[in-house]
Amino acid sequence: MTLQTASSSTSLAPANPWALVPPLGNLDAYISAVNRLPLLTADEEQTFARRLKEDNDVDAAGRLVLSHLRLVVSISRQYLGYGLPHGDLIQEGNVGLMKAVKRFDPDQGVRLVSYAMHWIKAEIHEYILKNWRMVKVATTKAQRKLFFNLRSMKQGFKADAALDDAATHRDTLSDHEIDMVAEQLNVKREEVIEMETRLSGGDVLLDPAPSDDGEQAFGPIAYLSDASHEPTAMIEHEQRDRLASDGIATALEGLDDRSRRIVEERWLKVNDDGSGGMTLHELAAVYGVSAERIRQIEVAAMKKMKKALAEYA
């Protein structure tokens, strides 16, 4: 079907403009069909845009979208190097095109093709960033700029250094090249290094699926799990803290003054130099008894405290 230019606005669009692209079986057929769709002249584009803006005419919006589907196909080809399905790239680009048509103002004096390119690329960029890896690799403006420019710039550096075998086969950027990228893209040097590291890495499953023989494969989940936040471990840790503070204080209260001081001086005090408390002989000199007697008092006090702690727990 071809577009017939007419003076009246009613003749500009068929009853169902979406019928211009019939149901298709594959991507090649779709691309062939959209490339045969007629382009709109500037006057026709203005007429449809005003009908959409002033009357919310869906058929006019359809003609604006259909006449620019080939633009989406052309732009989407620029992003095939990211390994994502071409059909998905086109689909996301079409979403951007429809957003552009909805926001297009015919009074701005620009063609829709110039306005729509930004929206088409924005939707494709967002799709690539969300789906290129399991973990999103770029979130800030500087990271996005690096993601979509770093690979092409690295290829340019390799082409310029084609006569240098070492540089040609080197996969990482040199310090001078990192500085050049940072200057050209107006980003920090550290951001260039970080993005190059992200792009060179791959995805690793935290919990790999079992192998063909039924054995569970070893994955990072085995050593990345934080056992300290496991409920049972948290309860045990809380109990140990309570015993180390309130429990010991309660057990010490059950001792006589001499036994309590011996335990405190032997086990609960630390000197300024980091050494332990008083020795048996030092305590023996304080109380005027033998070191063996101090040891016997200590053993008896520790048994009594152990029983008190068990009751407290």
Side-chain angles (χ1 to χ4, degrees):
M1 180 179 293
T2 59
L3 177 64
Q4 296 179 351
T5 305
S7 58
S8 63
S9 60
T10 56
S11 63
L12 286 173
N16 181 15
W18 303 103
L20 289 172
V21 181
L24 303 168
N26 57 62
L27 182 60
D28 291 337
Y30 170 83
I31 295 175
S32 177
V34 299
N35 285 333
R36 291 195 302 269
L37 292 175
L39 298 175
L40 298 177
T41 65
D43 292 339
E44 291 169 342
E45 184 178 288
Q46 282 283 316
T47 301
F48 286 130
R50 293 190 182 282
R51 284 171 53 180
L52 173 60
K53 180 180 179 181
E54 298 172 2
D55 304 327
N56 199 26
D57 190 335
V58 178
D59 289 341
R63 289 309 301 268
L64 291 171
V65 170
L66 290 169
S67 64
H68 290 81
L69 289 179
R70 68 178 68 192
L71 173 65
V72 176
V73 173
S74 176
I75 293 177
S76 65
R77 287 196 179 101
Q78 302 172 17
Y79 300 94
L80 292 177
Y82 293 97
L84 297 172
H86 192 192
D88 290 348
L89 294 173
I90 292 176
Q91 177 175 275
E92 296 301 319
N94 286 342
V95 173
L97 173 60
M98 288 186 283
K99 289 182 178 180
V101 168
K102 182 178 180 180
R103 294 167 172 80
F104 181 61
D105 185 357
D107 296 324
Q108 293 297 319
V110 297
R111 293 296 300 267
L112 176 58
V113 62
S114 301
Y115 181 74
M117 288 180 66
H118 164 77
W119 288 93
I120 295 170
K121 290 183 177 180
E123 288 296 319
I124 294 178
H125 285 184
E126 191 65 26
Y127 168 75
I128 292 173
L129 290 174
K130 287 182 178 179
N131 296 275
W132 187 66
R133 290 274 174 82
M134 289 189 296
V135 179
K136 197 170 184 178
V137 296
T139 54
T140 66
K141 183 178 180 180
Q143 290 174 348
R144 288 169 175 260
K145 189 187 301 183
L146 280 166
F147 178 83
F148 289 106
N149 291 278
L150 187 56
R151 289 200 304 175
S152 59
M153 294 184 71
K154 287 179 67 174
Q155 293 299 324
F157 291 143
K158 287 186 178 182
D160 293 339
L163 299 178
D164 185 350
D165 293 338
T168 304
H169 293 90
R170 177 168 38 82
D171 293 328
T172 58
L173 293 173
S174 66
D175 290 340
H176 176 64
E177 291 169 344
I178 291 174
D179 293 334
M180 290 180 61
V181 173
E183 181 180 356
Q184 292 182 28
L185 298 181
N186 193 26
V187 297
K188 296 179 181 178
R189 189 176 190 276
E190 293 75 14
E191 291 174 326
V192 178
I193 298 174
E194 180 183 0
M195 182 54 64
E196 185 183 19
T197 303
R198 292 186 181 187
L199 293 178
S200 61
D203 293 330
V204 178
L205 293 176
L206 288 177
D207 191 9
S211 57
D212 295 337
D213 56 6
E215 294 185 1
Q216 180 66 38
F218 181 80
I221 195 66
Y223 56 84
L224 289 178
S225 59
D226 185 5
S228 63
H229 288 81
E230 195 271 328
T232 303
M234 293 177 67
I235 294 174
E236 292 177 351
H237 182 71
E238 182 181 349
Q239 290 177 343
R240 286 194 301 268
D241 289 345
R242 189 166 62 250
L243 283 174
S245 55
D246 300 341
I248 291 178
T250 302
L252 285 171
E253 290 176 357
L255 302 176
D256 59 82
D257 293 341
R258 185 174 63 173
S259 298
R260 181 165 58 252
R261 184 185 176 188
I262 290 174
V263 172
E264 289 176 344
E265 293 291 349
R266 289 278 290 153
W267 302 104
L268 301 180
K269 288 188 177 180
V270 179
N271 296 326
D272 295 337
D273 59 359
S275 60
M278 298 177 67
T279 65
L280 293 175
H281 292 283
E282 290 173 340
L283 287 169
V286 172
Y287 287 104
V289 296
S290 66
E292 176 60 21
R293 179 55 183 158
I294 295 297
R295 189 192 67 79
Q296 293 173 356
I297 295 173
E298 178 187 359
V299 171
M302 296 295 280
K303 287 182 179 179
K304 190 172 182 180
M305 287 185 65
K306 185 177 181 180
K307 182 179 179 181
L309 286 172
E311 293 176 352
Y312 183 86

